[in-house]
Amino acid sequence: MEALIGVLPGDGIGGEVIAEAVGALDAVAALGGHRFEFRHGLIGGAAIDATGRAFPEDTRQLSREADAVLLGAVGGPKWSDPDASERPEQGLLDLRAAMGVYANVRPVRTHPALFDASPLKAERLEGVDLVVVRELTGGIYFGEKHRAVDRASDLCSYERSEIERLLRTGGRMAMERRRKITSVDKANVLETSRLWRRVADGLLPAEFPDVVLEHLLVDAAAMHLLSRPRDFDVIVTENMFGDILTDEASMLVGSLGMLPSASLNDRGGGLYEPIHGSAPDIAGLGVANPCGTILSAAMLLRHSLGLDAEARRVETAVYRVLESGVRTRDLATPGTPAATTRQMGEAIRHQIAAAR
Ligand code: IPM
Ligand code: MG
């Protein structure tokens, strides 16, 4: 098949991890006779430096034309002045809004090869396979903002329709998995959460009668994610809770650098990015873990291009390489030699080709 893939490296380690994910997609293309055209664009701080805008018009255009968009990360100390008029992160939020990608799917699957990299005991990690479906284009991220010298506010608001479509994505995913949904909110305090819970109670049992629904308050969910992670199947939650819980959940897998994500709209379009940030502290050193981005590329193959076998081939390659003991610094046992970003990417490309 032919596909146009928008590539937005962004800032910090973004360019380093993106290069390896594009390499993995190239390896897939070489195998199956697919033709992927990669068109690069600017976003975040890099875009501010070049154009003055974090989400330039050219990038908006690219996001419209592309079959899918692969993104690295945005942000960095250079652009984090609290009084700056343009911020890298706003560019990412604008991109998500422009693409209408309201459902951010973040799978968390532990692998025995990485048990030793997690701060949790191996017996807790065995068989953990959950997915967080995070609402991505509403809530406190997008509400009206005000700041004065001594006062600031961020409005959190949700429409019923925004909650409903997110819940439906979660319901469909649960039907293909273990048929359990945990809806996470703060309904003991927040009105948006009380609406969320009411909508969930109305919609999920009616439209997905075979799916077991439970509710958890977000503070308790943060604890249960570590004490009984195996019990979770699909977690549905609002924008900010999903942001926070998935960084926490990455510790089950062993590193923030491991987790991929797919942000989906109703038009089959998608934005694919690792859940980690731009990691300015290690940018340019060639030590970043490219696995989260490579696994995001696998999600792109599956969700936007319908290439499920190819997606699985990439995922299998990543885990084979990890099983063979090749690891970037974030996953390596202290004192043992670690692979560079490039070496990790090369090993995975090699493995993709070898699986022929
Ligand atoms: C993420 C990131 C972003 C978010 C930032 C960079 C705006 O933390 O994708 O999880 O909060 O959504
Ligand atoms: Mg985050």
Side-chain angles (χ1 to χ4, degrees):
M1 80 173 309
E2 290 192 14
L4 173 62
I5 298 173
V7 179
L8 309 177
D11 308 317
I13 59 170
E16 297 163 56
V17 293
I18 278 285
E20 303 313 318
V22 168
L25 290 172
D26 270 333
V28 164
L31 273 180
H34 303 300
R35 284 200 24 220
F36 301 147
E37 184 193 335
F38 300 101
R39 201 174 296 167
H40 280 67
L42 291 168
I43 191 146
I48 295 175
D49 287 351
T51 71
R53 310 305 302 264
F55 180 46
E57 188 50 39
D58 283 356
T59 304
R60 180 186 298 270
Q61 191 60 35
L62 174 58
S63 73
R64 251 191 239 124
E65 283 170 25
D67 296 296
V69 176
L70 187 64
L71 184 138
V74 298
K78 181 173 178 193
W79 310 280
S80 44
D81 174 359
D83 293 323
S85 60
E86 193 81 11
R87 292 192 57 108
E89 292 80 2
Q90 190 58 44
L92 176 55
L93 301 190
D94 289 348
L95 170 67
R96 290 170 177 172
M99 293 182 71
V101 287
Y102 62 84
N104 180 222
V105 178
R106 297 186 160 187
V108 180
R109 203 172 307 130
T110 58
H111 192 287
L114 297 183
F115 283 179
D116 61 355
S118 169
L120 273 87
K121 295 194 186 77
E123 71 227 38
R124 291 259 163 93
L125 304 173
E126 193 80 55
V128 171
D129 179 5
L130 62 91
V131 57
V132 177
V133 185
R134 166 190 176 194
E135 201 290 326
L136 200 63
T137 53
I140 198 166
Y141 275 60
F142 289 87
E144 224 175 280
K145 296 177 186 301
H146 289 292
R147 184 154 55 95
V149 178
D150 296 317
R151 200 189 128 74
S153 67
D154 298 270
L155 179 70
C156 183
S157 108
Y158 267 110
E159 303 274 337
R160 169 182 287 272
S161 58
E162 294 176 303
I163 301 169
E164 285 175 345
R165 63 185 183 176
L166 191 278
L167 293 172
R168 287 195 176 101
T169 304
R172 285 192 296 269
M173 296 206 66
M175 284 305 289
E176 303 202 331
R177 297 172 47 96
R178 302 195 307 280
R179 301 192 173 186
K180 180 175 174 192
I181 290 188
T182 306
S183 178
V184 171
D185 62 33
K186 187 71 185 174
N188 53 347
V189 176
L190 302 177
E191 286 301 342
T192 40
S193 283
R194 289 193 267 268
L195 176 65
W196 184 284
R197 195 175 279 219
R198 171 160 300 171
V199 174
D201 275 333
L203 185 146
L204 289 171
E207 297 188 14
F208 302 93
D210 297 333
V211 172
V212 174
L213 169 63
E214 71 173 10
H215 299 283
L216 263 189
L217 296 172
V218 63
D219 47 354
M223 188 258 290
H224 289 297
L225 259 180
L226 303 186
S227 63
R228 52 175 191 96
R230 212 173 7 247
D231 290 353
F232 294 98
D233 181 15
V234 176
I235 295 174
V236 291
T237 192
E238 63 140 88
N239 204 339
M240 188 156 76
F241 298 160
D243 177 45
I244 297 168
L245 291 178
T246 46
D247 267 33
E248 183 193 8
S250 75
M251 285 297 100
L252 300 167
V253 180
S255 167
L256 188 56
M258 283 303 300
L259 290 200
S261 86
S263 307
L264 308 171
N265 60 27
D266 279 333
R267 304 185 291 275
L271 169 64
Y272 300 83
E273 49 171 318
I275 81 154
H276 64 69
S278 59
D281 53 322
I282 57 164
L285 300 182
V287 299
N289 184 347
C291 291
T293 315
I294 293 173
L295 293 169
S296 300
M299 295 185 86
L300 181 157
L301 291 168
R302 175 175 296 120
H303 294 285
S304 281
L305 306 186
L307 299 175
D308 197 58
E310 286 82 347
R312 252 180 290 127
R313 178 165 279 162
V314 172
E315 289 161 352
T316 305
V318 169
Y319 290 112
R320 288 261 163 82
V321 168
L322 291 168
E323 281 160 13
S324 77
V326 182
R327 278 128 191 260
T328 42
R329 199 171 79 176
D330 53 321
L331 291 170
T333 314
T336 63
T340 63
T341 309
R342 175 49 46 94
Q343 286 166 342
M344 191 76 201
E346 259 163 20
I348 293 167
R349 280 198 290 285
H350 202 258
Q351 189 63 47
I352 293 170
R356 188 199 284 267

